[in-house]
């Protein structure tokens, strides 16, 4: 089955700097890649997603890139702010077994003021 | 627009007991997926329900079962509870069962097994 690996597991950045989180996936049939932000004690919140027919997508300070050949995708956060501090999860879906999402292990991001 | 709601928020059970968790999908969403999130890990897919039928299942034993009702709300039932079942159980709904449909999560039910 699908396997998603996420790096780094923790990331500390200075406010205003950029943060980059990388994920690799194993199943070449995967065609949907969402990113979730989970603050302590709260629900995972969908922040951006990308489909396999697109190489890059941007929404304000957040962007995601996808390289289907290498089977990896990345989340970029620019001009980080303290409220960006949270755990971020990448996920992948092939559409098999319904639209099952396979998640990475998460990245804890700390933005220092 | 009403988001995904789950109940109860917290639950404490002992080994061997049974538990039922509930989920109301977001308005207009007909597909519900359940995930288990252990502490410090990413969510793991349990199963999905679409139009009252199980539409896919992850690597969970049969003692994890579910239902979906005509109003698209759903239940997760776990029998013969084990200590390892302690986790946050998340429900997510989507507009349809299609692979490209975004899934939106509820706040979860935190289940503790003593």
């Amino acid at each position: 089955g699908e396997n998603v690996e996420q790096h780094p597991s923790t990331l500390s950045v200075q406010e205003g700097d950029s943060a980059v989180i990388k994920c690799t996936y194993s199943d070449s049939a995967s065609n949907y890649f969402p990113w979730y932000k989970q603050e302590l004690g709260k629900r995972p919140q969908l922040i951006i997603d990308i489909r396999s027919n697109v190489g890059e997508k941007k929404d304000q300070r957040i962007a995601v890139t996808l390289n289907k050949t290498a089977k990896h995708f990345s989340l970029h956060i620019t001009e980080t702010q303290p409220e960006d501090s949270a755990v971020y999860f990448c996920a992948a879906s092939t559409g098999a077994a319904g639209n099952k999402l396979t998640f990475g292990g998460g990245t804890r991001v700390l933005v220092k003021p | 627009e009403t988001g995904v709601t789950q109940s109860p928020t917290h639950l404490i059970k002992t080994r061997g007991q049974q538990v039922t968790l509930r989920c109301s999908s977001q308005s207009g969403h007909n597909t519900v997926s359940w995930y288990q999130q252990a502490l410090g890990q990413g969510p793991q897919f349990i199963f999905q329900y679409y139009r009252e039928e199980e539409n896919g299942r992850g690597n969970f034993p049969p003692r994890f079962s579910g239902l979906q009702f005509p109003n698209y709300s759903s239940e997760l039932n776990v029998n013969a509870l084990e200590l390892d079942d302690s986790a946050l159980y998340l429900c997510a709904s989507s507009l349809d069962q299609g692979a490209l449909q975004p899934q939106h999560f509820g706040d979860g039910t935190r289940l503790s097994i003593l």
Side-chain angles (χ1 to χ4, degrees):
Chain A
E2 173 71 281
N3 182 50
V4 176
E5 295 197 357
Q6 184 172 345
H7 299 280
S9 56
T10 60
L11 181 59
S12 182
V13 297
Q14 207 66 38
E15 182 178 358
D17 287 350
S18 295
V20 180
I21 304 170
K22 299 182 179 181
C23 289
T24 60
Y25 60 98
S26 60
D27 193 333
S28 57
S30 288
N31 56 7
Y32 175 65
F33 307 90
W35 286 86
Y36 288 87
K37 174 184 180 183
Q38 189 174 29
E39 297 176 65
L40 194 62
K42 296 192 176 179
R43 68 181 70 188
Q45 178 190 1
L46 179 66
I47 56 172
I48 196 167
D49 57 13
I50 192 167
R51 290 157 176 81
S52 61
N53 59 343
V54 175
E56 184 174 356
K57 183 177 178 180
K58 192 172 181 180
D59 183 4
Q60 298 182 355
R61 298 186 296 109
I62 293 173
V64 57
T65 58
L66 171 65
N67 183 327
K68 286 220 73 181
T69 304
K71 291 190 282 189
H72 68 69
F73 56 113
S74 301
L75 178 71
H76 304 252
I77 307 173
T78 58
E79 300 171 19
T80 53
Q81 300 167 4
E83 52 264 38
D84 294 329
S85 296
V87 179
Y88 291 80
F89 292 97
C90 63
S93 173
T94 65
N99 54 348
K100 161 189 175 179
L101 293 176
T102 301
F103 283 83
T107 297
R108 183 172 299 277
V109 174
L110 175 63
V111 180
K112 295 179 288 185
Chain B
E1 182 178 89
T2 308
V4 179
T5 59
Q6 293 186 243
S7 63
T9 53
H10 295 87
L11 206 49
I12 299 174
K13 292 285 187 178
T14 57
R15 277 186 304 172
Q17 285 189 311
Q18 178 266 343
V19 70
T20 297
L21 310 182
R22 295 178 175 83
C23 171
S24 292
S25 61
Q26 185 170 321
S27 177
H29 287 190
N30 63 18
T31 303
V32 172
S33 302
W34 286 92
Y35 292 82
Q36 180 195 67
Q37 186 177 24
L39 202 59
Q41 297 182 23
Q44 284 199 305
F45 178 76
I46 303 174
F47 43 54
Q48 181 183 85
Y49 278 83
Y50 170 66
R51 294 188 175 179
E52 302 178 58
E53 296 286 333
E54 188 180 286
N55 189 41
R57 189 176 184 94
N59 295 325
F60 281 82
R63 59 189 184 85
F64 285 78
S65 63
L67 284 173
Q68 187 179 33
F69 300 99
N71 67 353
Y72 305 131
S73 66
S74 177
E75 287 182 354
L76 164 65
N77 299 291
V78 188
N79 295 322
L81 286 166
E82 301 176 0
L83 293 178
D84 283 350
D85 295 335
S86 294
L88 180 67
Y89 288 84
L90 294 163
C91 167
S93 74
S94 54
L95 200 57
D96 205 342
Q97 60 157 341
L100 306 184
Q101 292 294 332
Q103 295 184 35
H104 299 276
F105 285 87
D107 287 331
T109 294
R110 185 159 298 282
L111 177 62
S112 299
I113 311 301
L114 304 180

